[in-house]
Amino acid sequence: MKTIKYFIAAIGISLLTNSCANDLNTLPESDISGEQLNDDQSKPEKILGGIYLDLRSNGAGGTTLHSDFGIMAIKAGADLMSNDVIQAKNQHLGMFYNYDATNASNSASEIVWTTFYARIFVINKLLDDLKNDNSSKNRAIKGQLLALRAYSYFYLVRFYANDYKGHQSEPGVPLVLTSSNPNQGLPRSTVSEVYTQIAKDIEESIVLLDSFARPSRAQIDQRTAKAIASEVFLQTGDYTKAGKYAEESKQGVALMTENEYISTGFSTINNPEVIWGFHNTISTMSIGNYYASFFSMFDNTNEGYAGAAQIYKLIDKRLYEAIPETDYRKKVFNGSQGAKYTFNGKTKNYPAYVSWKFKDPSLFEGDYIYIRASSLYYVQAEALARQGREAEAKQVLFEIASKRDKAYTLSSKTGNELINEIILQKRIELWGEGYAWFDMKRLNTPLERVYTGTNHTFGRFNLTPDKFRFQIPNKEINNNPQIKQNE
């Protein structure tokens, strides 16, 4: 694909030449070849570190926009397309909130596409060059690369295709699995073919990572790969595997305390629940984030776009009202009236329903959290419920809900009502963390922002789930004659 090749030339090589990651002790430099890998046994590890670093950096999606900062930008953008997260003003990530992002000409479509395909090409190049090296060190590198490729395609297919169920034979996204013939444009594989490859990659990564002890949570280990697998199999309806991997991934991981949840737990990789994230420092932030960062966009207490420019992030009124008063998760949101709030020595006036969930005491150096153990309780509970194992599902839900709300009692619901309770608890727990819109698409839940008393802003409209699919960016359409656009 000419466009994807362009992405690699502009972004992938930049990743290899300019990135550094103190947390991974890596320094990617130049392109790679099999001969070079033999000459420098540390080079694959350095390049892998560059991939991790680039996935949290401004420009990961090929633009200089401040809405382009890797995985966290895409998670944030996705949640802004849900019923649950509101943006006060139409700036920066507002293109997601008002659904301009779905258009082929919009920068958001290019950002999502480029963020993952640029990394996929680097991953494929490294996998090709390591295919005959079965040393334990490079087995672990291969495992991480396969997990990253699975994770990338999982995002791509959910953005640019319809949901898996009932749409398996429809167009998905191009499956680029080798670094050879980069000039050859590829057609779109079917949704089923893409998910088959995702499942193959992630389960192979789980095997390869069996004995890998990562030096930091910035790297994918077997626990992380299992967490990714649980979400993949929930999406495809393989509830046995979804529940199994969710249980294995969260096993032995402590849940955060109330103080951690309502203070600064969402800005530190030392949060006990963190399964995968990235530790930001002054050094990493200087690479190109600062205002182009998650906390600038979502921390209403900071001096970034949300806190200083008042591009506030708010919770949907209905969801706020659904949180019991006894549930401490309600404390990270303002109520129906404006109020003062003090954090980090500063007191500010805030509007109704504003979020105080994501608080970074530094200036945009807060750590990024990609996957928390909490998410896996809801995957497992839903998977069990859909298998008819409702007593077990209720117990898993109770284990986390009772931690957040001391008044919570074991659910008495059954059938769809139990599923709905699990999803509601998930929406409350993971607000702003990039899950709600994907669940809406998976569950065929419409966008409903027009209702009596709504607090939605410039994105106040209703949509059916068939409108949730992104168009493929114009750059790809114009340069790849084999690819067909979504209508």
Side-chain angles (χ1 to χ4, degrees):
M1 294 177 196
K2 293 180 181 177
T3 295
I4 298 182
K5 185 184 179 185
Y6 167 78
F7 289 162
I8 283 303
I11 303 166
I13 301 305
S14 173
L15 178 155
L16 299 177
T17 56
N18 298 325
S19 297
C20 64
N22 294 338
D23 207 41
L24 301 177
N25 192 27
T26 60
L27 183 62
E29 47 190 42
S30 76
D31 205 351
I32 56 173
S33 66
E35 183 178 350
Q36 286 175 313
L37 290 177
N38 291 331
D39 293 340
D40 183 357
Q41 296 301 310
S42 67
K43 191 174 287 281
E45 194 170 20
K46 293 174 181 177
I47 296 168
L48 175 61
I51 295 171
Y52 283 123
L53 180 65
D54 217 45
L55 282 169
R56 44 74 54 214
S57 296
N58 181 220
T63 78
T64 58
L65 298 175
H66 283 189
S67 297
D68 179 1
F69 49 91
I71 290 173
M72 293 301 287
I74 291 168
K75 280 177 164 286
D79 250 16
L80 280 164
M81 299 182 76
S82 74
N83 284 319
D84 297 342
V85 183
I86 299 169
Q87 183 160 304
K89 297 178 182 179
N90 189 8
Q91 292 176 283
H92 299 296
L93 293 171
M95 57 194 173
F96 288 94
Y97 180 63
N98 67 6
Y99 274 71
D100 284 346
T102 63
N103 297 324
S105 59
N106 191 272
S107 58
S109 181
E110 180 183 335
I111 287 169
V112 175
W113 186 268
T114 310
T115 294
F116 294 114
Y117 270 118
R119 258 41 70 182
I120 285 169
F121 265 70
V122 178
I123 288 166
N124 287 344
K125 181 70 167 73
L126 195 49
L127 282 171
D128 285 349
D129 289 325
L130 290 175
K131 62 186 176 183
N132 296 320
D133 189 330
N134 292 313
S135 65
S136 58
K137 178 180 180 180
N138 285 335
R139 275 176 59 87
I141 292 174
K142 290 179 190 177
Q144 292 174 74
L145 292 169
L146 287 169
L148 284 166
R149 189 167 73 180
Y151 187 78
S152 297
Y153 276 121
F154 188 42
Y155 269 91
L156 286 166
V157 74
R158 287 184 296 169
F159 271 103
Y160 297 99
N162 286 321
D163 180 57
Y164 179 84
K165 294 178 186 176
H167 305 284
Q168 292 95 320
S169 62
E170 293 180 5
V173 294
L175 273 176
V176 187
L177 301 174
T178 177
S179 61
S180 62
N181 299 320
N183 286 319
Q184 181 182 354
L186 294 177
R188 297 170 70 177
S189 297
T190 66
V191 169
S192 178
E193 288 168 340
V194 175
Y195 273 100
T196 296
Q197 185 64 46
I198 292 169
K200 180 179 182 293
D201 280 355
I202 199 62
E203 291 203 291
E204 185 177 348
S205 80
I206 289 170
V207 173
L208 290 170
L209 293 170
D210 181 50
S211 59
F212 173 57
R214 61 183 176 183
S216 82
R217 295 181 188 181
Q219 290 179 266
I220 291 176
D221 63 356
Q222 188 182 63
R223 184 189 295 278
T224 309
K226 287 180 176 180
I228 296 168
S230 73
E231 291 190 43
V232 170
F233 289 115
L234 184 70
Q235 190 81 30
T236 61
D238 189 337
Y239 300 121
T240 300
K241 282 189 175 181
K244 170 183 178 292
Y245 284 128
E247 166 60 25
E248 291 177 358
S249 181
K250 70 181 179 61
Q251 192 171 28
V253 180
L255 291 173
M256 60 204 303
T257 64
E258 176 178 354
N259 181 62
E260 288 167 328
Y261 198 102
I262 67 173
S263 59
T264 58
F266 292 98
S267 62
T268 174
I269 204 168
N270 293 322
N271 176 328
E273 289 187 21
V274 174
I275 287 178
W276 183 33
F278 196 95
H279 175 49
N280 285 317
T281 64
I282 293 175
S283 175
T284 58
M285 295 308 289
S286 68
I287 293 168
N289 274 51
Y290 289 105
Y291 289 102
S293 65
F294 177 76
F295 290 102
S296 172
M297 299 290 181
F298 263 67
D299 180 3
N300 293 312
T301 72
N302 213 318
E303 298 307 313
Y305 287 119
Q310 299 181 353
I311 310 174
Y312 294 123
K313 303 305 181 288
L314 318 170
I315 186 172
D316 174 77
K317 175 185 177 181
R318 297 162 300 184
L319 184 59
Y320 176 81
E321 292 175 347
I323 307 174
E325 295 297 329
T326 51
D327 189 328
Y328 65 67
R329 293 175 296 190
K330 199 164 192 170
K331 295 179 181 179
V332 299
F333 302 106
N334 192 13
S336 61
Q337 303 296 321
K340 291 182 182 295
Y341 187 81
T342 301
F343 175 71
N344 215 23
K346 295 181 180 178
T347 301
K348 296 183 179 181
N349 293 309
Y350 292 95
Y353 302 110
V354 78
S355 164
W356 298 312
K357 180 177 179 178
F358 303 104
K359 296 188 288 292
D360 174 16
S362 70
L363 188 61
F364 316 138
E365 293 168 31
D367 298 337
Y368 286 169
I369 299 174
Y370 301 148
I371 301 176
R372 286 196 294 130
S374 289
S375 66
L376 302 170
Y377 284 80
Y378 306 103
V379 173
Q380 185 183 12
E382 183 183 346
L384 289 168
R386 292 193 185 278
Q387 293 176 73
R389 298 163 62 180
E390 292 190 341
E392 295 170 82
K394 292 175 186 179
Q395 183 57 40
V396 171
L397 182 62
F398 178 79
E399 288 171 8
I400 185 165
S402 62
K403 292 286 188 182
R404 308 306 192 210
D405 178 4
K406 291 182 179 179
Y408 182 83
T409 57
L410 190 72
S411 178
S412 60
K413 294 181 172 64
T414 60
N416 286 334
E417 288 188 356
L418 176 59
I419 299 291
N420 291 339
E421 182 181 1
I422 293 166
I423 297 301
L424 175 60
Q425 286 286 333
K426 185 179 184 180
R427 289 165 61 199
I428 295 169
E429 176 72 29
L430 300 173
W431 183 94
E433 297 180 58
Y435 293 85
W437 183 69
F438 293 120
D439 276 344
M440 287 173 62
K441 191 168 182 176
R442 176 174 65 88
L443 300 169
N444 201 34
T445 302
L447 187 78
E448 295 179 343
R449 294 174 175 172
V450 180
Y451 59 88
T452 302
T454 182
N455 64 322
H456 280 270
T457 54
F458 59 91
R460 188 178 295 182
F461 45 76
N462 297 341
L463 292 175
T464 51
D466 61 297
K467 304 298 184 185
F468 292 176
R469 185 175 58 168
F470 274 46
Q471 288 188 315
I472 293 167
N474 282 336
K475 278 188 178 180
E476 182 66 21
I477 295 296
N478 294 338
N479 289 279
N480 181 3
Q482 294 203 62
I483 201 165
K484 293 184 179 180
Q485 182 60 280
N486 290 326
E487 297 300 325

